[in-house]
Amino acid sequence: MKHVVFGAVSALALGLGAAQAQDYPTKEIQGIIQWGAGGSTDTVMRAVTPHAEEVLGGTVVMQNMTGAVGAIALNYVADAEADGYTVLMGAENPMLYKIMGLGDKDYSEFTPINILARGTPLLVANSDAPFNDYAEMVEYVKAHPGEVRFGATGPGGLPSVITAMINTIEGKLDYISVPYDGDGPALTALQGGAIDVMPAVLGAAIEGVRAGNMKPLAVFDVAPNSKLPDVPAVTSFNDGYNTYLPWGPFFGVFVPNGTPDDVVAKLSAAYSEGAKNPDFVELMDNRGFTLMGISGDEANQFLTKWQQGTAWLLQDAGETKASPEEFGIARPAN
């Protein structure tokens, strides 16, 4: 008799779970943004989410949760119940936490709802900096060791990858690294003169460049970007960058593994449709972001390839705390 009752209770629980997934969402969803207000991740998520809400038929309350190079936000969502009511709105950094000694989690513990877009790195300087392009900057830093202040967002962020490339190609430069909670606060500091140089995603810096509030030194790509056609590609200064480029950050929405399939499907459909909204597409295009809109196996394959290439770049530059091999991250094939 006990077995019959237990079986009935289990069936009832399963039935309720299915019903809850079918009715999802029945309450507000927490959207935890990994970086500070005004940065590129914040911009992308606050632009797409209202359009996704219309499709989802629910409300996503977004909150910026900074600290520990995004690990605080990641751990918060990872520890939340896998029910679709707490989602992570993040960038690329978690794929490097293990090798940078920042944590034992990465996106392998999450299900990608949608990898929305990727960005192109841009090296920008304060308007009054005593150099006007990439070559002049390198020459000035070498002539003035320990003086030039570079903005940073912590190990594994876009600035750390770009500076690893610079140090690998040009030889290790002697500069001051000043950390910030995201490229938004760092670019504000750059315009105010608190730092001299900032590697940032083009989408976050482009309005400041267009307004004349900062000057671009180089696009970190193999060709100029159509949104800033007069800014040279860094490969035009040193063709050694062809080994590592093109490279760029990405922005995506994730839920913890174990989230019900129906919930994942609803969220994925909502963000997929939201990313097609003309207003969002126009914003991303104007900011120089490349739309991706991938999920499922395609997103997981992208994450694996990105992690392999970037982890080994940092390893070869001597920037890691542990070898990618320790975590089963294969060196990418040439």
Side-chain angles (χ1 to χ4, degrees):
M1 183 66 182
K2 289 181 181 178
H3 294 293
V4 173
V5 172
F6 178 77
V9 171
S10 298
L12 178 60
L14 288 171
L16 286 173
Q20 287 170 354
Q22 187 176 5
D23 294 339
Y24 174 88
T26 59
K27 61 181 181 180
E28 290 182 343
I29 299 166
Q30 266 193 303
I32 305 300
I33 302 175
Q34 208 174 36
W35 292 103
S40 46
T41 307
D42 186 67
T43 297
V44 171
M45 298 306 166
R46 292 188 185 276
V48 71
T49 297
H51 306 304
E53 286 177 321
E54 293 178 7
V55 179
L56 191 62
T59 301
V60 181
V61 179
M62 290 174 280
Q63 175 186 351
N64 298 91
M65 188 175 291
T66 63
V69 198
I72 290 177
L74 179 129
N75 290 331
Y76 177 86
V77 178
D79 293 339
E81 189 172 350
D83 57 5
Y85 288 100
T86 309
V87 303
L88 179 66
M89 298 174 164
E92 69 281 358
N93 309 70
M95 298 309 284
L96 303 173
Y97 284 168
K98 294 177 180 178
I99 63 166
M100 304 305 289
L102 294 170
D104 57 1
K105 293 182 175 68
D106 59 21
Y107 285 138
S108 64
E109 300 198 25
F110 291 77
T111 299
I113 294 301
N114 196 298
I115 298 179
L116 297 156
R118 60 180 173 84
T120 299
L122 179 70
L123 194 66
V124 290
N126 177 271
S127 297
D128 296 327
F131 36 79
N132 295 304
D133 63 25
Y134 172 83
E136 290 182 8
M137 182 209 73
V138 172
E139 182 180 357
Y140 187 89
V141 173
K142 288 181 176 179
H144 300 82
E147 291 186 15
V148 179
R149 299 160 298 177
F150 275 63
T153 56
L158 179 150
S160 73
V161 176
I162 295 302
T163 52
M165 285 189 199
I166 294 173
N167 288 329
T168 298
I169 298 298
E170 304 291 353
K172 194 164 182 63
L173 302 181
D174 185 358
Y175 56 85
I176 301 169
S177 182
V178 184
Y180 292 90
D181 277 330
D183 54 5
L187 289 168
T188 299
L190 179 79
Q191 294 174 74
I195 55 176
D196 305 300
V197 178
M198 181 65 192
V201 67
L202 183 147
I206 192 168
E207 294 303 329
V209 170
R210 287 170 172 166
N213 296 330
M214 60 184 80
K215 53 186 172 184
L217 305 179
V219 174
F220 269 69
D221 206 343
V222 296
N225 188 280
S226 62
K227 296 303 174 186
L228 293 173
D230 295 331
V231 181
V234 73
T235 49
S236 68
F237 296 105
N238 191 324
D239 62 10
Y241 281 103
N242 284 299
T243 302
Y244 301 106
L245 298 174
W247 177 90
F250 60 85
F251 314 98
V253 179
F254 303 83
V255 292
N257 288 341
T259 300
D261 291 344
D262 286 356
V263 171
V264 170
K266 283 193 173 185
L267 281 169
S268 295
Y271 273 93
S272 177
E273 287 301 310
K276 297 174 186 175
N277 182 278
D279 291 341
F280 179 70
V281 172
E282 182 180 9
L283 175 66
M284 294 296 97
D285 181 60
N286 288 340
R287 294 290 187 97
F289 289 114
T290 300
L291 290 171
M292 295 181 69
I294 59 175
S295 57
D297 290 341
E298 187 179 6
N300 284 318
Q301 290 168 9
F302 168 82
L303 292 170
T304 297
K305 182 177 180 180
W306 191 98
Q307 185 181 48
Q308 290 174 343
T310 310
W312 282 101
L313 164 65
L314 292 171
Q315 170 71 8
D316 293 343
E319 299 288 337
T320 60
K321 298 290 186 182
S323 169
E325 286 181 325
E326 294 184 28
F327 307 102
I329 303 172
R331 182 182 285 273
N334 293 328

